[in-house]
Amino acid sequence: MQNDIWSEEFGAAADEPIVLIMGSMSQGILWPDEFVGRLAAGGRRVIRYDHRDTGRSRTVDFEQEPYTWNDIKDDVLRVMDRHGLESAHLVCHSAGGLLGQMIAVERPERVRTLTVIGSSPLGEREGMVLMRALMGRPQPEGSLPEPTPEFVAHYRGLMAAPPPAGRRERIEAMIAEQRVLHGTALPFDEDAARRLQERVYDRARDLDAVTNHRLAAMAAPDFEPMGVLPQVKAPTLVIEGTHEPAKPGHGAIIAERIPGARLMMVEGLGHTLPPDVHEELARAILTHTAAPH
């Protein structure tokens, strides 16, 4: 599937390379243009891409062409190969952080540094935490912290409501989801959210194909077992917002398990990447990815 993954790059070819890995069911353009531009202006060669079954990348009939999250992880390596990169700095968001952690464990020679933002520790089943929360079931002792009540209420409502139909309803639903993920501390720019979600909608080959990522997880849950994070050798920066609604407190667990990892808390940040934090995030990532390590 190497030639069917859409990607683009910014900055000079000779600069330190950063590969941006977005979360599950998310297009690469959710890495904001302004943020990407800050990284490129800071002397980085920045690559972002659309996961399979998102955006401009190829979509498939899952029954005819099933795949797993291990395949989605391998797509990262294929993107790197296409851009001529033997190794790169991996900067990952949400479930993209799981992919980055997997690569750091399995292919350490390809990871110069690792940055995970709003992610969960590899080997944990954060999806089960969410499902128990949605069903109102107690979490077993030792489970990851569950999402905020606002987050859970939003997704309970989605489960009970008919799916949105047509472009307008779909975009309104996408904006509502972005509002919840944004968190409650920073102002929410609805006009900017609308422009982004219109762009996401209009550039998708098949917007419904993103649900194949869920099928991939259920078909063969092949994330690494618990206990592998101490194997990560890459210098690691873990970033979490103080108002993270989806995975609150998960960043501290990642940082605790990866030797030498540094945890950075960003005031007001939720689970999106709004302009308010672009400068702070870019500065931290530029420092973390400065050669040599």
Side-chain angles (χ1 to χ4, degrees), residues 99-122:
L99 300 175
Q101 292 170 66
M102 290 171 75
I103 296 170
V105 169
E106 297 174 6
R107 300 295 304 274
E109 77 281 1
R110 305 210 66 173
V111 184
R112 300 189 187 186
T113 66
L114 177 65
T115 301
V116 293
I117 306 170
S119 189
S120 295
L122 185 64

Side-chain angles (χ1 to χ4, degrees), residues 211-232:
T211 59
N212 286 345
H213 286 198
R214 293 176 182 165
L215 297 175
M218 291 187 294
D222 48 16
F223 284 129
E224 296 291 336
M226 291 179 62
V228 297
L229 284 184
Q231 298 176 26
V232 173

